[in-house]
Amino acid sequence: MNKDPNLDSTAPQAKFTHVDTTGKANMVDVGDKSQSKRQAIAQGFVSVSPALMQQLVDNSLAKGDVLSVARVAGIQGAKQCSNLIPLCHPLMLSKVQIDFELQQQAMQVRIVCMCKLTGQTGVEMEALTGVSVAALTLFDMCKAVDPSMTIHGIKVLEKQGGKTGHWVNEA
């Protein structure tokens, strides 16, 4: 239903918009696109040891409230996306929200980033960057306790707005 033709070998080849006719990198011109409300939600996970999970639950890490710091870092990361990803447009985000879920049974922290704006291009990259920077910050602040943490499962869950409307990752 909402399959990406670039991932489906049976689908007709989609035209990549970030390269020009000679194959050179190209920033897409969105100037003629109409403005619409857009939103994207991404998630990622950090697998942790039982000892670190307990310290996260108790908020007893020596470096302080690491989830609050990681939340602010993720928000800053989303806002800086176009400085990090060369062909991304600088966007006027109207909302960035980072949430954490301590999944004690799975020994992992789930990170969710939601980004919103009214504009001419989507906010998937900003949501992915927010999750990534929050995960990296969590790793940085906790590596003394658990250097074997693993960051994984970063993906877009949902996007709204633009010509594709509402899309949900059903994978």
Side-chain angles (χ1 to χ4, degrees):
M1 176 174 147
N2 291 320
K3 283 194 164 188
D4 182 343
N6 293 315
L7 301 177
D8 183 356
S9 61
T10 64
Q13 273 311 101
K15 181 178 177 250
F16 289 108
T17 57
H18 285 80
V19 292
D20 67 15
T21 56
T22 64
K24 295 178 185 161
N26 175 48
M27 186 173 184
V28 175
D29 183 358
V30 297
D32 291 332
K33 291 174 74 176
S34 60
Q35 298 234 352
S36 68
K37 289 184 180 184
R38 297 166 184 266
Q39 176 177 306
I41 301 171
Q43 77 173 1
F45 298 88
V46 181
S47 293
V48 301
S49 68
L52 176 55
M53 178 59 76
Q54 192 58 54
Q55 289 184 45
L56 289 168
V57 168
D58 296 340
N59 193 19
S60 63
L61 282 140
K63 290 196 177 184
D65 187 354
V66 298
L67 296 180
S68 290
V69 175
R71 177 176 287 111
V72 172
I75 292 167
Q76 286 182 293
K79 291 166 48 178
Q80 293 298 314
C81 182
S82 67
N83 292 325
L84 300 168
I85 314 288
L87 301 178
C88 282
H89 295 84
L91 301 179
M92 290 296 298
L93 296 170
S94 59
K95 175 76 174 168
V96 178
Q97 181 174 325
I98 303 279
D99 292 308
F100 299 96
E101 178 187 349
L102 300 178
Q103 298 180 339
Q104 295 181 62
Q105 295 285 59
M107 284 298 141
Q108 64 186 13
V109 179
R110 179 177 183 238
I111 304 166
V112 178
C113 179
M114 183 273 300
C115 294
K116 281 180 157 181
L117 62 64
T118 299
Q120 296 166 297
T121 191
V123 291
E124 299 91 334
M125 294 308 300
E126 287 71 16
L128 289 165
T129 301
V131 165
S132 299
V133 171
L136 290 167
T137 302
L138 182 63
F139 189 101
D140 179 51
M141 294 188 73
C142 297
K143 66 184 181 281
V145 174
D146 181 8
S148 67
M149 288 176 285
T150 305
I151 297 170
H152 58 95
I154 297 172
K155 65 181 179 179
V156 175
L157 296 177
E158 182 178 352
K159 69 177 219 117
Q160 296 177 35
K163 68 181 179 181
T164 58
H166 188 192
W167 175 88
V168 175
N169 186 340
E170 296 174 7

